[in-house]
Amino acid sequence: MAKISSDGHRSFDPNNPSPLETMTAAVSKALDPYGVTTSMLNAQMAWLSHPQELMRAMNGLASDAMALQAHVMRRAIGMPSEDVVTPNEDDTRFTDPIWQDSATWDIVKECYLAFTHRLQDMYFETPGLSDKDRRRAAFWSRKWLNMMAPTNFFWTNPVAMQRFVETEGKSVQEGWHYFMRDAQAKNILMVEQDAFTIGKDLGTTPGKVIFRNHMLELIHYAPTTDKVRATPLLIIMPWINKFYILDLTAKKSMFKYLTDQGFSVFVTSWKNPTADMSGIRFDDYLTDGVDACVKVVNDFCKTPQVNLVGYCIGGTMVATYMAWANRHYGKEMPVANWTLFTSLTDFAHPGDIDVFVDEASIKALEDNMNKKGYLDGNEMATSFRMLRSNSLIWNYWVHSYLLGESLPPFDVLFWNMDTTRMPATMHSWYLRELYLHNNLIKRDHLTIAGEPIDLDRITQPLYAVTAEDDHIAPWKECYRIRKYVNIKAPVRFVLSTSGHILGIVNPLVDPPKRAYWVSEPERNDHWEQWQESAEKKPGTWWEDWTAWLNKRSGKLVEAYPAASRKYPALADAPGTYVLEK
C-alpha cells in the first residue's frame, strides 16, 4: 500500500496490505472464517509450486490406479483378487459382506478408498506449508471426503437399496420421517430426545444439594457405609457438559462406587449460562466455583483439607486452582491431594481440535458469541462431532435416513446431546490464553483472581488419568503435567484403554472390558520412558485410584450426613441446575 514520503511523493510500503489483499481477507472472513476451503486451496497451490514433489505424488497415484485397474479386471471376470486398499480398523462403513462379495460394489468401495487415502496422504505431505496448515487442510479434506462416501447416498449404498426391497419401501418412508424429526430438532440426533429422564433414569444416586450460588449447585451424596474416610472428595465437573456423565446408572456411576468404598463425595453441577452471564470470567469459575466449594466442603466436614478432582476442563481449572491456592493460602493450603481426569494443561498439541484454533477462527467465534452473550451448546457439540464425523454424524445419517432404523436408547449419547452454553467472556479468554497462546504453562504469565499462576508451586500428590484413544485431550499432551508441577510432587500416571468418556466411565465388570497402564514417572521422564516402565493391568483403574486415595484420606470416621443444620438440603440430587436447557 502507498505511503507519503518526506518529499511528498507516494511510495510502496510492503508492510501494509494492498487493497486487493484487504478485500480478499474481508471476503475470506465473511465466507470462510474457519478456513474450510482456503486451507485446501492453499495446499493445492503449494503442490503446484513444487512440481518435482507433485510429480512423485502423481507417480504414486498412477501406481494405485494401475493396481486398481488390475483388481477391477480380475473381479470383473470372476477371479479372486485381494483389495488394493483396506479400510482402517475403526472404519465401519464397509463392514457389510456385500461390499466384499459383490464385484460391482467392491470396485466402488476400492475406487473410493484408493482415491481418498492417496489424497489424504498428499494433504498431510504438502510441501512448503507449516505442520498446522497441512493438518488443517487434511482435516477439512477428510470431512469433505467422508461426506462424499458412497455409503451416504441411497443409489450408491447397496445395503440401503436391499433394505428398501426387503421392507417394500417402508425403510425410505421411515427414513423420511426421521429426516423431518431431525430437521425440526435442527440436529442429526444420535438418540431420541425423550429416551431418558434425568433423576429417574439417569443421575439417580441419592444425595442433597447443600450449596447453591449463581454459578453452581454443590451436591453431597448420601453415605452408604457407616464410616467414611475423614478427608472428603470434591469432584469439579466440566461445565462444557452436564455432571451426570459420572452418574449414568447405578452400575456405571462413579459417585455410587466411591460412596460404597467409604468416601464422602461432593460434586459440582454448573448452571447453564444465559445471556445475562456473558460477562462471567474464568476467574469467577475459580473463586465463585472451585474455591467456594472447597470452603463449603471443609466447613461441612470440619476438615482442614479436601481431596480435589477435576475432569476435562474441570481438570484444567483444578490445575489452575492448585497453583493459585498454593500461592494464595500458603501453608493453609486447603487441598491435600488432587486428581485429573483427561485434562490438558499444555495446549501446544491439543489434537484435531487444533484446526479450530487460530486468530481468524477465534475472532469469528467471538463475533458470534458477542451477538448472543454465549456460545450455544449445539455449536460446540457440532465441533466435537466433526472430529469424528464418520461415527458421530454420517453413521446416524445412514442408519436413520437411508436404512430407516430407529435410534437405540444409549445413555452416553443422551448425555452428549444434553448440551450446555459457554459464557462469551470466559470462553474467549479460555480459547485465547490457553489454546491459542498456551499461557498456563508459562510461569507467572497469567494472573487469575489476583494471583500469578505458576504450576511449579504445586507440591501436592497427583493422580492423573488419561485415555489411549482420547481425541479431545490426547494422553501424550496430558502427560506433560509431570513436567510442570514441582519436582517434589509425587505423580501417579495412568493410561486407560478407550477414549475421553469411556476411559473414565469405566466401572468394574467381570470379565474386564478394558485395561490400563500405570507407573510413577520422575519429572524429566519422557512419555516413552514412562510407557516402557508402566505395568499393564486388566480391568479398570478405579480400584488403583481408590487404593491411592485410601492412603491419603485420613482415618475412618462416622459417616457425614447428606445435609446438616448449617447446610440444609436445598433439593434432592441431581438438583435443579442440571435440568436447565
Side-chain angles (χ1 to χ4, degrees), residues 229-234 263-264 266 291 293-309 321-322 325-326 329-338 459-461 549 551-555 557 560:
R229 290 291 173 182
T231 304
L233 197 62
L234 171 58
F263 292 98
S264 190
F266 296 79
D291 193 47
C293 288
V294 169
K295 291 176 179 177
V296 169
V297 172
N298 277 330
D299 188 34
F300 184 95
C301 298
K302 307 303 180 191
T303 52
Q305 292 182 309
V306 302
N307 286 328
L308 192 59
V309 183
Y321 177 80
M322 292 297 292
N326 270 284
Y329 291 108
K331 295 181 179 180
E332 301 299 320
M333 175 66 177
V335 178
N337 310 281
W338 58 307
T459 59
Q460 291 73 25
L549 285 172
K551 297 175 182 178
R552 294 164 174 80
S553 300
K555 61 183 180 180
V557 299
Y560 306 114

Side-chain angles (χ1 to χ4, degrees), residues 13-24:
D13 183 359
N15 296 319
N16 289 329
S18 67
L20 179 60
E21 290 173 323
T22 302
M23 182 182 71
T24 302

Side-chain angles (χ1 to χ4, degrees), residues 419-432:
T419 58
T420 57
R421 296 174 286 273
M422 296 291 105
T425 301
M426 184 285 300
H427 199 57
S428 173
W429 184 95
Y430 176 65
L431 292 175
R432 286 189 175 278

